[in-house]
């Protein structure tokens, strides 16, 4: 057996071991969780999904075989058809929030922008507060502090796709048009639907 073939088989075994370890971490997180939407469980789920996808891909490349596992959100049909070494990637993120506490949302925005009318209300005041907060804070910080900002997290998804290098400003007029499933490298979904399935 050539060194290259041996290395490839070693990579398959390493990917399989990564799945086993991710299963153990996920089970530990689930069995230790005391609250719905536990971020530790969510993180363990995402790690397990990524490990399973990686194993499935290398198993197919080396042995022309696949696993029986279906990862929620990995519904790209034919799978990744892009280049093995993409020159660039695009990260597309969607996070949904319910405005659970408009007063808290306003109060947080007033701390940032004194031009907002203190204690203001109404639909336009809420949209102004949203603009202020999302202009001041990074999306990841808002996600981490959602409750503090009067928001309640809903479903979210993150897509990483291969793409061609773009010129500055080239795609800004239509930034989310034409996401190609065949260029999707990985995808991570967070939803109460999956929590309900685990409970069932």
């Amino acid at each position: 057996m050539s060194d290259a073939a041996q290395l490839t088989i070693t990579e398959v075994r390493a990917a399989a071991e990564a799945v086993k370890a991710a299963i153990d971490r996920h089970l530990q997180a689930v069995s230790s969780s005391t609250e719905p939407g536990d971020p530790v469980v969510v993180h363990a789920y995402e790690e397990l999904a990524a490990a399973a996808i990686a194993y499935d891909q290398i198993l197919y490349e080396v042995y022309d075989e696949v696993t029986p596992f279906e990862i929620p959100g990995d519904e790209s049909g034919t799978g990744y058809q892009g280049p093995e070494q993409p020159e660039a990637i695009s990260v597309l993120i969607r996070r949904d929030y319910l405005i659970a506490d408009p007063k808290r949302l306003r109060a947080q925005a007033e701390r940032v922008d004194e031009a907002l009318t203190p204690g203001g209300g109404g639909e336009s005041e809420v949209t102004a507060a949203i603009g202020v907060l999302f202009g001041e804070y990074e999306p990841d910080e808002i996600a981490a502090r959602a409750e503090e900002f009067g928001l309640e997290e809903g479903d979210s998804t993150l897509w990483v796709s291969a793409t061609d290098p773009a010129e500055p400003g080239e795609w800004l007029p239509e930034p989310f048009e034409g996401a190609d499933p065949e260029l999707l490298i990985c995808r991570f979904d967070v939803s109460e639907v999956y929590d309900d399935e685990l409970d069932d």
Side-chain angles (χ1 to χ4, degrees), residues 27-177:
L27 179 58
Q28 177 64 35
V30 170
S31 61
S32 302
S33 178
T34 58
E35 58 180 292
D38 187 336
V40 175
V41 173
V42 171
H43 181 67
Y45 169 89
E46 292 174 348
E47 282 192 335
L48 177 55
I53 291 169
Y55 174 64
D56 198 80
Q57 288 175 340
I58 194 168
L59 189 71
Y60 182 77
E61 290 173 11
V62 176
Y63 296 111
D64 198 26
E65 293 288 347
V66 295
T67 67
F69 309 130
E70 182 177 351
I71 308 300
D74 183 37
E75 300 171 354
S76 50
T78 58
Y80 178 67
Q81 299 294 312
E84 290 187 11
Q85 297 183 354
E87 294 183 58
I89 60 172
S90 284
V91 180
L92 307 179
I93 301 174
R94 172 174 172 169
R95 294 185 177 121
D96 286 0
Y97 299 94
L98 293 176
I99 300 175
D101 190 338
K103 291 182 179 178
R104 180 177 293 184
L105 182 73
R106 281 281 312 173
Q108 291 288 351
E110 288 166 11
R111 294 179 184 177
V112 175
D113 188 348
E114 296 178 354
L116 290 177
T117 306
E123 187 173 315
S124 62
E125 297 291 341
V126 171
T127 55
I130 292 170
V132 168
L133 292 176
F134 278 85
E136 177 70 16
Y137 299 103
E138 293 290 333
D140 288 344
E141 183 171 1
I142 290 178
R145 301 170 59 187
E147 185 176 352
E148 181 181 339
F149 291 141
L151 301 173
E152 180 180 325
E153 290 183 277
D155 289 355
S156 68
T157 187
L158 182 151
W159 294 23
V160 182
S161 300
T163 187
D164 294 324
E167 294 295 327
E170 180 179 343
W171 48 257
L172 288 178
E174 296 178 304
F176 302 111
E177 183 186 35

